[in-house]
Amino acid sequence: MTNALRQVLGQGWEFTIEGTELEIRHRRRGSPYAPPRRPPSWVELLKTLEDAFAARGVPRDACIPLRWGRETELAISAVQALDPLLKDGRLVTYRSGFLPQPVVRFTGERDENGELLDGYLTSFVNVSRVQPIQSIDEYAGVLDDWLHVLSMLGFHARHVSLYGQLKVWHRQQVAGVTLMFRHLDLTLGDIVLLWNLENPQRMAVDLGTGLERLAWARTLRDWNDLIFGPLAGAARSSALDAIRTATLLIGNGITPTARGAGGITRRVLGTLEPESVALGVSAAVRASHRYWSTIAALRTPWPVVAVCIEQELTRR
């Protein structure tokens, strides 16, 4: 792997290997970073990503369904699009290419008061490139393409570094090696080499980050202002996060129920304290609905989502 990465990255990068730990840094690192004077809108950021990937021969593919219903009730990562290849060893995938995928996870890091730390959300857009590959050289080429994409977003390679373990990990039917990438001191995501244990020639790459994290690193704005806009400070960030997530779920037709995927919607809304939504949820739902709709059309209009949330809150 390291030989392929050295060949692709060239002489401008330094490789440090200690045991199984690898770090790759640009030789001209340390220069200051200046954010843009006018931060890009979410639509502009997504369009730049799409165009930059397309310029490297990587077209955008459709999102996988948010209601996943296989090993997880919901989509938690775009890498699930590779399940047939990686878990069954078959030469097919559900999706391939550039995939901006809305996901829901409950793994975000929190402070002692239960509030999500800056950089974490229960629902976010998993910006990924997922595809089958035939060789380690292709894996290294995906990293080279990613540096091009980052440059089109306004990042410079000298501010980017990679680190991780060269040791192979195993999870059920899948094995892999993961390298993390960061901009300055902020970890943005990872690039993972994956293969099916029974058919190691069934290889794939999963490069992933978050649209929101990319915007955060790009603009250096306050996290809550970036995510919640004018509503930041109008309620606790945990309440705004819950409404944002519920809007995505209900917008995809996943209404509150006792079990299954709908049970996750009920769980999310169960975290809302009555006083945090005493004036209703319409403004927060409208803003969240607008955001998610820039990624993929929602089947449920925002007024219906707002009514559904308020009805669920009065049920308790």
Side-chain angles (χ1 to χ4, degrees):
M1 174 185 287
T2 56
N3 289 338
L5 292 172
R6 288 179 192 273
Q7 186 172 357
V8 163
L9 295 177
Q11 297 299 314
W13 296 80
E14 293 179 346
F15 284 65
T16 303
I17 301 176
E18 296 183 2
T20 60
E21 294 184 2
L22 170 67
E23 184 167 24
I24 308 173
R25 298 184 295 174
H26 200 276
R27 293 186 186 277
R28 295 175 57 195
R29 61 187 178 275
S31 57
Y33 169 71
R37 293 182 179 179
R38 187 188 71 84
S41 68
W42 295 113
V43 173
E44 291 170 334
L45 184 60
L46 186 63
K47 184 65 166 61
T48 301
L49 278 165
E50 184 173 352
D51 291 346
F53 272 113
R56 304 294 279 201
V58 186
R60 179 176 176 176
D61 207 344
C63 298
I64 61 175
L66 183 64
R67 188 194 296 266
W68 192 241
R70 293 175 175 86
E71 292 183 352
T72 61
E73 291 282 1
L74 303 175
I76 60 172
S77 174
V79 75
Q80 290 168 289
L82 301 177
D83 278 358
L85 179 78
L86 296 175
K87 296 182 178 179
D88 304 329
R90 297 187 288 131
L91 283 175
V92 294
T93 63
Y94 295 124
R95 304 286 190 275
S96 181
F98 166 49
L99 202 62
Q101 175 66 46
V103 299
V104 176
R105 296 183 192 168
F106 293 94
T107 56
E109 296 184 16
R110 298 176 180 269
D111 63 18
E112 61 276 8
N113 298 316
E115 294 288 330
L116 286 163
L117 298 179
D118 288 354
Y120 294 95
L121 295 161
T122 305
S123 52
F124 61 94
V125 179
N126 182 204
V127 171
S128 293
R129 177 180 177 179
V130 292
Q131 68 179 68
I133 57 174
Q134 302 299 317
S135 68
I136 301 295
D137 290 342
E138 285 188 63
Y139 168 83
V142 168
L143 175 59
D144 187 48
D145 289 344
W146 179 236
L147 292 174
H148 166 78
V149 172
L150 289 176
S151 71
M152 294 298 98
L153 292 175
F155 298 106
H156 195 284
R158 64 177 175 264
H159 298 127
V160 178
S161 59
L162 292 100
Y163 65 97
Q165 285 278 343
L166 295 173
K167 185 177 180 180
V168 175
W169 50 259
H170 300 82
R171 294 173 191 161
Q172 298 180 347
Q173 312 100 314
V174 183
V177 176
T178 300
L179 292 181
M180 311 295 295
F181 53 85
R182 61 191 167 207
H183 178 255
L184 301 177
D185 294 327
L186 176 64
T187 297
L188 293 177
D190 54 30
I191 175 170
V192 190
L193 175 66
L194 304 135
W195 60 92
N196 176 266
L197 280 170
E198 293 186 359
N199 296 286
Q201 72 276 16
R202 306 293 198 252
M203 290 192 296
V205 63
D206 169 33
L207 184 146
T209 181
L211 184 67
E212 298 85 353
R213 268 191 174 251
L214 278 177
W216 194 33
R218 180 76 180 92
T219 64
L220 300 182
R221 289 177 60 188
D222 176 83
W223 174 252
N224 285 326
D225 287 342
L226 172 70
I227 302 302
F228 303 117
L231 292 174
R236 291 179 60 183
S237 59
S238 58
L240 296 172
D241 175 78
I243 294 172
R244 168 190 167 95
T245 301
T247 299
L248 174 64
L249 291 165
I250 299 170
N252 277 275
I254 306 173
T255 55
T257 57
R259 298 180 182 84
I264 298 173
T265 307
R266 179 157 290 172
R267 171 185 171 184
V268 167
L269 291 175
T271 66
L272 283 173
E273 299 172 353
E275 59 271 20
S276 66
V277 290
L279 295 178
V281 300
S282 293
V285 168
R286 191 163 58 248
S288 298
H289 198 282
R290 187 184 311 116
Y291 176 76
W292 295 120
S293 296
T294 65
I295 311 302
L298 299 181
R299 68 177 68 174
T300 308
W302 76 261
V304 178
V305 174
V307 169
C308 182
I309 291 175
E310 290 175 347
Q311 287 179 339
E312 175 65 15
L313 295 178
T314 58
R315 186 194 67 84
R316 294 187 301 183

